[in-house]
């Protein structure tokens, strides 16, 4: 009886210990998931159709339309925010890994992860022309970001993975004439050892921050850089000086990979479908 009681007591103690450890891990996970949710408010959300489950880039077209790409099919999807539906599909290439989309005047641009840039010229016209250009980046860079900067009069992009040096991730201009970038001369730098990024550093310095999208604020020219891997938003001023880094909670931002501003500076961020439905949020950040 004594041995039996001893074993029962030991068994109960082990169960209680496992429960405490499990509760601790769940509590820690919940804390990590919800951290950052006080940085912003989401004023509206659009749940997207299955065609956009892999949504990887968005760009503002007009008062009710976003152009979207997803990372498998060479199709631009026009999404109507009022109708909450896709209203037009524009094929531009075959299957691939398409990550970023930008608009300049009447032309759309799509970035493939290996650095190949597609130009859809006069996209609204039935006789639109489509061309592709090697920008100078390679598959090892894993290019996911693209935007047009009126200040720089160029497209801007940043490698997600490897850059020329592990100490920084550069933001590079892509010329509107040659459609190429000087891959040895970034216009702006995100320093991986910046104080604001200290708590995100791991064993490999270049993995401190992995840009998945970029957008330029239409009024301040601040440069917003999004990370989808470990959701964060980094903001540089118009000169490239790091201003702040916001952690994004993983409930509302399970995999944020698209971002764009409206003409009035409203910020839209899209998420791929991760254990749920792909979405677009209209987001307002709380600046100190």
């Amino acid at each position: 009886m004594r041995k039996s009681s001893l074993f029962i007591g030991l068994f109960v103690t082990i169960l209680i210990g496992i429960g405490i450890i499990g509760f601790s891990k769940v509590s820690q996970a919940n804390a990590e998931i919800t951290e950052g949710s006080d940085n912003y408010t989401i004023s509206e959300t659009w749940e997207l159709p299955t065609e956009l489950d892999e949504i990887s880039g968005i760009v503002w077209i007009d008062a009710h339309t976003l152009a979207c790409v997803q990372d498998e099919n060479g199709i631009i999807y026009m999404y109507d925010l009022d109708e909450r539906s896709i209203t037009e599909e524009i094929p531009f290439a075959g299957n691939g890994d398409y990550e970023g989309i930008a608009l300049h005047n009447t032309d759309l641009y799509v970035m493939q992860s290996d650095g190949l840039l597609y130009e859809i010229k006069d996209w609204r016209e039935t006789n639109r022309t489509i061309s592709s250009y090697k920008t100078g980046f390679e598959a090892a860079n894993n290019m996911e970001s693209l935007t047009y900067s009126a200040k720089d009069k160029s497209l801007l992009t940043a490698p997600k993975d490897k850059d020329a040096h592990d100490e920084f991730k550069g933001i590079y201009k892509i010329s509107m004439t040659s459609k190429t970038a000087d891959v040895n001369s970034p216009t702006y730098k995100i320093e991986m050892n910046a104080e604001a990024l200290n708590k995100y550093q791991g064993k490999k310095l270049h993995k401190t921050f992995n840009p998945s999208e970029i957008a330029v604020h239409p009024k301040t020219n601040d440069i917003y850089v999004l990370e989808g891997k470990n959701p964060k938003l980094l903001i540089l001023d118009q000169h490239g000086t790091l201003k702040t880094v916001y952690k994004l909670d993983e409930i509302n931002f399970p995999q944020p990979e698209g971002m764009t501003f409206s003409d009035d500076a409203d910020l839209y961020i899209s998420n791929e479908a991760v254990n749920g439905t792909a979405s677009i949020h209209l987001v307002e950040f709380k600046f100190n």
Side-chain angles (χ1 to χ4, degrees):
M1 290 293 290
R2 288 180 180 177
K3 287 185 178 180
S4 177
S5 298
L6 179 62
F7 285 136
I8 292 172
L10 182 60
F11 181 68
V12 170
T13 301
I14 291 171
L15 286 179
I16 291 171
I18 292 172
I20 291 171
I21 293 170
F23 179 77
S24 175
K25 288 184 176 180
V26 169
S27 297
Q28 183 180 358
N30 286 339
E32 290 173 352
I33 288 172
T34 57
E35 182 184 353
S37 60
D38 57 348
N39 291 330
Y40 61 84
T41 56
I42 295 175
S43 56
E44 192 166 1
T45 296
W46 291 262
E47 292 189 351
L48 301 176
T50 55
E51 292 93 329
L52 292 173
D53 277 354
E54 301 294 324
I55 188 169
S56 53
I58 59 177
V59 68
W60 178 261
I61 297 296
D62 57 39
H64 58 89
T65 310
L66 297 179
C68 312
V69 289
Q70 55 108 309
D71 63 12
E72 294 178 347
N73 300 325
I75 300 172
I76 296 172
Y77 298 87
M78 293 296 166
Y79 184 80
D80 190 303
L81 295 169
D82 294 339
E83 299 293 332
R84 295 178 177 267
S85 63
I86 295 168
T87 56
E88 185 179 2
E89 297 183 10
I90 302 173
F92 66 90
N95 293 340
D97 186 9
Y98 307 106
E99 297 290 350
I101 184 168
L103 173 70
H104 177 233
N105 294 332
T106 60
D107 308 326
L108 284 167
Y109 296 87
V110 176
M111 177 65 80
Q112 192 164 271
S113 63
D114 62 1
L116 190 66
L117 180 72
Y118 287 88
E119 178 185 58
I120 300 88
K121 201 163 187 61
D122 297 319
W123 72 267
R124 292 183 185 273
E125 305 299 326
T126 54
N127 61 343
R128 65 181 75 96
T129 58
I130 299 170
S131 306
S132 62
Y133 303 88
K134 293 183 177 180
T135 57
F137 296 104
E138 300 176 350
N141 301 125
N142 196 7
M143 309 303 295
E144 290 199 355
S145 54
L146 192 67
T147 194
Y148 177 76
S149 169
K151 172 181 172 289
D152 296 293
K153 295 182 174 59
S154 304
L155 295 169
L156 296 181
T157 190
K160 178 182 178 181
D161 291 340
K162 297 290 288 184
D163 206 327
H165 301 278
D166 286 353
E167 290 77 16
F168 66 82
K169 295 287 172 67
I171 297 175
Y172 296 84
K173 290 181 183 179
I174 297 176
S175 165
M176 300 308 298
T177 52
S178 68
K179 311 299 189 301
T180 60
D182 183 348
V183 298
N184 296 310
S185 182
T187 304
Y188 311 100
K189 288 183 180 180
I190 304 170
E191 300 289 349
M192 295 294 97
N193 58 3
E195 184 178 352
L197 289 171
N198 279 348
K199 65 180 180 179
Y200 303 112
Q201 287 183 9
K203 292 182 179 179
K204 294 185 178 180
L205 188 61
H206 76 276
K207 292 186 176 182
T208 301
F209 188 81
N210 302 96
S212 63
E213 189 55 289
I214 186 170
V216 178
H217 194 289
K219 296 182 179 180
T220 66
N221 287 317
D222 284 351
I223 303 167
Y224 285 52
V225 189
L226 186 67
E227 177 178 350
K229 187 176 181 181
N230 297 296
K232 291 186 286 293
L233 178 68
L234 179 151
I235 303 175
L236 310 170
D237 69 16
Q238 62 177 317
H239 307 294
T241 301
L242 179 57
K243 293 174 65 174
T244 189
V245 179
Y246 289 101
K247 181 175 173 59
L248 303 178
D249 78 275
E250 295 180 14
I251 294 176
N252 289 302
F253 298 97
Q255 193 167 338
E257 295 202 355
M259 177 172 60
T260 190
F261 282 101
S262 73
D263 295 337
D264 294 327
D266 292 327
L267 179 62
Y268 295 81
I269 296 178
S270 65
N271 293 277
E272 290 191 8
V274 179
N275 300 321
T277 305
S279 63
I280 296 173
H281 297 312
L282 176 56
V283 188
E284 182 178 353
F285 279 84
K286 301 171 185 177
F287 300 105
N288 296 328

